[in-house]
Amino acid sequence: MTEPVQESGEPTPFGEDRDPARVVAFSDAVIAIAVTLLVLEIRPPLDTRHLPHGLAALWPSYLAYAVTFMLIGQVWANHHIMFDHIRSADRLVLFLNTVLLMDLSFLPFAASVLADTFRDGHGQRTAVVLYGLSFELIAVLFNLLWWHARHERRLLVPTIHAAAVTAITRRFRLALVWLGAGTLLGALLPGLGVAVIFAFIPYYWLPIAGEIRRSGRRRGRGDQA
């Protein structure tokens, strides 16, 4: 079997061009399992004689479930945005993505701890810090992955514009500051820290600058054709 040859005529180094599609497919599967496990952390009331009261008392679990589901959904969406522009996954990308998925799989536990402390009234500071640090680590890994991919544009698709690279970079860096601030505030004022982390949801579901405008132009050109 002959070795693959680059345009320059030199053989392609072993393992350099690894299709990121399998990385995305594996990541999607892990994320799907993680969001499914979230609901298993909501334990039914043991006393069915006072079921309405027991169900109402689980409100911290409902809230932790809903918020964590939406935050993991953001991780999934931004993971796709990032890998849409990565043409090749080297071993460092595989390693960083594996650590990212390992941390993401920990989130159902962190959400359960957070809900339990707010329901019982003890340990909220520690729980908020644990919860915040779990998402902060994800933000760190996103930034490391994107920095490695965009370094000298070695792993990026050639069609991505410099403005798009900058916009994605700014979005990922802001996540570091936002989640870090929520975690630090949670160590002092748990309720405020949780509110800052929760406020992350509506902002980060907004499209990255330029997404809608570019897609609108493409649709316009398609209609004219």
Side-chain angles (χ1 to χ4, degrees):
M1 181 179 294
T2 59
E3 294 184 79
V5 179
Q6 297 175 325
E7 292 181 0
S8 61
E10 299 178 358
T12 302
F14 174 74
E16 181 177 278
D17 290 324
R18 189 176 288 108
D19 187 357
R22 296 184 66 182
V23 178
V24 174
F26 176 61
S27 302
D28 285 350
V30 173
I31 291 171
I33 294 171
V35 295
T36 303
L37 291 176
L38 282 174
V39 75
L40 299 181
E41 296 296 334
I42 305 178
R43 302 174 184 87
L46 297 177
D47 184 8
T48 55
R49 293 174 300 175
H50 304 91
L51 191 57
H53 178 270
L55 290 172
L58 290 174
W59 69 265
S61 295
Y62 304 145
L63 185 60
Y65 164 76
V67 170
T68 308
F69 197 109
M70 293 301 294
L71 287 171
I72 292 178
Q74 289 179 335
V75 172
W76 170 77
N78 283 287
H79 191 271
H80 271 267
I81 289 172
M82 177 166 59
F83 274 90
D84 281 347
H85 303 297
I86 294 177
R87 63 167 180 80
S88 179
D90 62 10
R91 284 191 175 270
L92 184 55
V93 168
L94 297 180
F95 172 75
L96 292 174
N97 195 74
T98 300
V99 179
L100 172 67
L101 296 177
M102 181 176 67
D103 182 33
L104 193 142
S105 300
F106 180 78
L107 292 176
F109 171 75
S112 179
V113 170
L114 183 69
D116 287 346
T117 59
F118 275 87
R119 184 167 51 250
D120 299 338
H122 305 286
Q124 292 98 330
R125 288 185 175 86
T126 302
V128 175
V129 170
L130 175 68
Y131 189 78
L133 285 177
S134 300
F135 279 103
E136 179 71 4
L137 178 56
I138 289 177
V140 169
L141 291 165
F142 258 84
N143 277 272
L144 287 174
L145 270 166
W146 184 242
W147 175 84
H148 177 63
R150 68 183 175 86
H151 181 63
E152 298 181 351
R153 300 177 66 97
R154 188 171 59 87
L155 300 180
L156 295 183
V157 296
T159 54
I160 185 172
H161 296 290
V165 175
T166 301
I168 295 172
T169 302
R170 287 174 179 169
R171 176 69 67 96
F172 289 173
R173 285 177 179 172
L174 179 59
L176 278 175
V177 178
W178 195 317
L179 293 170
T183 303
L184 290 175
L185 287 171
L188 303 173
L189 300 168
L192 182 58
V194 168
V196 171
I197 294 173
F198 287 6
F200 191 77
I201 294 174
Y203 178 79
Y204 262 75
W205 273 113
L206 295 173
I208 295 175
E211 273 187 308
I212 293 177
R213 186 168 59 253
R214 286 195 298 273
S215 63
R217 289 201 197 103
R218 285 195 295 268
R219 283 196 299 268
R221 286 196 293 268
D223 293 341
Q224 291 173 6

